[in-house]
Amino acid sequence: MKNNQFNPADHIQDLQYFGEFGGVNPSISDSSTYTFLSAKTMFDTFEGNAEGCYLYSRHSSPMNLYLGEALAAMEGTESANVAASGMGAITPVLMQLCAAGDEIVSSRTIYGGTYAFMKNMLPKWNIKTNFVDITKLDLVEAAITKNTKVLYCETVSNPLLEVADIESLAKLAKKHNIKLVVDNTFSPLSVAPAKLGADVVIHSLTKFINGSSDTVGGVVCASQEFINDLKNVNNGASMLLGPTMDSLRSASILKNLRTLHIRMKQHSHNANYLAEKFENDGLKVVYPGLKSHPSHEIYSKMINKEYGFGGMMTVDVGSLDKANELMELMQNRNLGYLAVSLGFYKTLFSAPGTSTSSEIPLDEQKEMGLTDGLIRFSIGLDNDIERTYQMMKACMKEIGVLKELQEV
C-alpha cells in the first residue's frame, strides 16, 4: 500500500471506546497494581500468557493500552507502547536492539538529546554510533559494518529540516539485515514511515500529537513481537528501565489526539504561508514545502498531501545577537514564546545551536550547517496568518533583519 493511500486520521476516527459507566471516554484506571482471582492467573500474566489481565502499571495499564492502540492505528503498525517522554521511548528501543560491540548508523542532524545519548551514554556499554549525512545514501551504506544493528533517522530532522528518504533507507536496511528506526515527531499524519518500510516508528508525544505543551510523553510503534520484547518482564528495556506514562496523562493525550488532523492542517497551512512570504522577502528560509528545499520532491512523494509539509521552518537572520533580539521582540509583541519544544497552539521559537542542539559540539554544528543566526520556528494555529506575517515582518524591519528596500 502506498503512503498516500493510507489515511491515519480515519484509523483513529474508527476507534471507539466506552467508559466503565457508558462514558464516551474510556475510564481511567488509577491503580499501580491489579488483583487476580487466582494465583495461577498471576503466574500466567508474569509469563505473558494471560490476555486481558493487568499485572502492574509499569508493565501496562488499561489507559496506556488504549493510547497505544490509537497510535498504532495512526502509524499503521501492529502495536505500540507509550512512555513517559520521547527519550523514554527512544532509549529503550536502542538498548533493546543493541548489545556490547554493536554499532548504530545515525543521521548527524537529530534531536540533541538523542545525539547526546548515542555519543556520550552508549559508549559506556561499548555501543558505537557512526553519524552520517542521511540524505547521501552512498555515505549511509559506506558507514554500515558487520556490527551495525540499527539505522536511525528522523523523517524531518531537528533542527535543520533535512528529509530522510525513508523508502530508500528501508531497502538499504533490509539489504544489510538491520533495523530502520525512524523518529516521526515532526510529521505525524503527513508521513507513515512503517508504510514506507521502517521497522520502528517513534514519536515524542509532547509535541504535535498532544499539542498543548502541558505534558511530556513518547511512543514506540512497531510489530507486536517487538513491543512484546520491550515489555518482557525479564529482559524488556521498557519494562526494566521503567519509563512509564501516568494513566491520567495518557488519558489527556488520547483526547488531544482526536483533533490532531485539524491541527496539523492549520500548522502546515500557516507555516507554508510564512515560509513563502519570507523567502520572497529575501530571507534564507528552510521549509520542506518550498521548491528551494533540496528534498522538496522526495518529501512531496512521501507525504499525505492533505496534511501538508508540517509546521516547522527555520529562518537564518545572520547572527546569534540578531536572532535573540528578534525572538525577544516577537515575544514582547505576543507573536509567540521564546521557548524550546514544538507543536503548541502558539508559535514557539528558539535558537537551536544554544538550546535544543546545544549537546552537539560547536565544530560539528558548523559542519552540519547549524549556523549562529538560525531560528527554529514551530508555527502555531493562528487564525489570520496574514496578520501574523505583517507583525513578524514589522519586527524584522525594526531590528534590521529586513531592510526597507527589500519591501515589494
Side-chain angles (χ1 to χ4, degrees):
M1 182 184 288
K2 288 186 179 175
N3 189 44
N4 58 12
Q5 295 175 314
F6 171 73
N7 198 321
D10 290 347
H11 288 245
I12 297 169
Q13 181 71 32
D14 290 344
L15 293 172
Q16 196 152 306
Y17 303 117
F18 293 94
E20 186 180 356
F21 303 104
V24 294
N25 288 308
S27 301
I28 301 168
S29 174
D30 201 16
S31 296
S32 61
T33 191
Y34 297 85
T35 57
F36 293 88
L37 296 178
S38 76
K40 183 180 184 308
T41 309
M42 179 184 279
F43 172 78
D44 288 342
T45 305
F46 260 104
E47 294 296 307
N49 299 324
E51 190 72 31
C53 290
Y54 299 96
L55 176 67
Y56 183 57
S57 284
R58 177 157 56 87
H59 181 255
S60 65
S61 65
M63 185 51 69
N64 285 2
L65 287 178
Y66 287 135
L67 178 59
E69 185 177 38
L71 292 164
M74 181 187 80
E75 285 297 351
T77 59
E78 290 177 347
S79 189
N81 188 49
V82 297
S85 69
M87 289 304 295
I90 292 165
T91 53
V93 165
L94 297 177
M95 296 299 286
Q96 193 71 35
L97 291 173
C98 297
D102 289 340
E103 295 181 7
I104 297 168
V105 173
S106 171
S107 169
R108 62 182 183 174
T109 58
I110 51 175
Y111 172 58
T114 312
Y115 178 91
F117 182 71
M118 291 177 174
K119 183 89 183 259
N120 304 328
M121 291 290 288
L122 286 179
K124 294 179 180 181
W125 290 282
N126 193 25
I127 298 168
K128 177 187 172 188
T129 304
N130 296 301
F131 295 99
V132 298
D133 182 342
I134 205 71
T135 64
K136 295 177 178 169
L137 293 172
D138 56 335
L139 295 183
V140 175
E141 185 158 29
I144 296 171
T145 72
K146 61 182 174 55
N147 295 323
T148 305
K149 293 293 185 291
V150 172
L151 178 55
Y152 186 95
C153 68
E154 296 172 347
T155 306
V156 181
S157 76
N158 185 355
L160 297 180
L161 308 185
E162 292 178 345
V163 173
D165 183 348
I166 295 171
E167 202 162 11
S168 296
L169 291 169
K171 287 175 184 169
L172 204 55
K174 282 176 177 54
K175 175 182 172 185
H176 292 276
N177 196 29
I178 59 178
K179 299 295 183 186
L180 175 60
V181 179
V182 178
D183 183 336
N184 200 34
T185 298
F186 277 24
S187 41
L189 302 184
S190 290
V191 181
K195 295 295 180 185
L196 297 170
D199 297 289
V200 180
V201 183
I202 292 168
H203 283 272
S204 167
L205 302 177
T206 314
K207 315 302 193 302
F208 288 111
I209 288 174
N210 186 53
S212 49
S213 289
D214 58 359
T215 190
V216 291
V219 68
V220 180
C221 302
S223 67
Q224 188 65 60
E225 181 183 11
F226 184 67
I227 297 303
N228 289 346
D229 288 345
L230 280 177
K231 292 164 69 174
N232 187 289
V233 295
N234 295 312
N235 54 21
S238 286
M239 181 64 178
L240 298 178
L241 294 173
T244 310
M245 175 170 277
D246 178 76
S247 291
L248 294 167
R249 284 304 188 189
S250 197
S252 174
I253 294 170
L254 182 59
K255 289 181 198 127
N256 287 346
L257 179 65
R258 304 297 191 181
T259 62
L260 179 62
H261 60 295
I262 301 168
R263 291 185 282 112
M264 286 311 299
K265 289 174 188 178
Q266 190 71 10
H267 283 303
S268 291
H269 168 75
N270 286 352
N272 200 80
Y273 183 92
L274 291 176
E276 287 182 352
K277 287 286 189 183
F278 287 136
E279 186 173 64
N280 287 339
D281 288 334
L283 289 169
K284 187 178 176 185
V285 182
V286 176
Y287 181 68
L290 294 174
K291 288 190 173 134
S292 58
H293 191 287
S295 299
H296 175 73
E297 290 304 319
I298 288 171
Y299 202 49
S300 296
K301 290 172 186 169
M302 282 168 55
I303 64 169
N304 185 326
K305 289 190 169 51
E306 188 178 351
Y307 305 106
F309 289 88
M312 303 300 296
M313 64 178 238
T314 67
V315 177
D316 195 330
V317 296
S319 72
L320 182 59
D321 287 343
K322 282 292 182 193
N324 289 339
E325 193 180 353
L326 177 59
M327 291 189 293
E328 288 170 10
L329 184 58
M330 288 191 297
Q331 180 166 255
N332 290 337
R333 299 278 165 84
N334 297 335
L335 282 161
Y337 296 100
L338 203 178
V340 299
S341 202
L342 50 122
F344 192 42
Y345 81 96
K346 287 274 280 188
T347 294
L348 303 176
F349 31 81
S350 62
T354 56
S355 58
T356 52
S357 295
S358 58
E359 298 93 337
I360 301 172
L362 289 175
D363 59 329
E364 293 182 36
Q365 288 187 27
K366 188 175 180 182
E367 188 185 329
M368 64 178 63
L370 181 45
T371 54
D372 280 347
L374 195 75
I375 300 176
R376 188 191 75 176
F377 285 85
S378 167
I379 304 301
L381 300 173
D382 310 34
N383 182 56
D384 186 348
I385 196 61
E386 166 65 20
R387 173 176 172 267
T388 299
Y389 164 66
Q390 293 297 345
M391 291 172 71
M392 284 185 172
K393 189 175 180 180
C395 291
M396 291 175 179
K397 284 183 178 177
E398 197 168 316
I399 66 165
V401 169
L402 271 178
K403 304 289 189 292
E404 291 294 333
L405 55 84
Q406 287 178 303
E407 199 172 351
V408 178

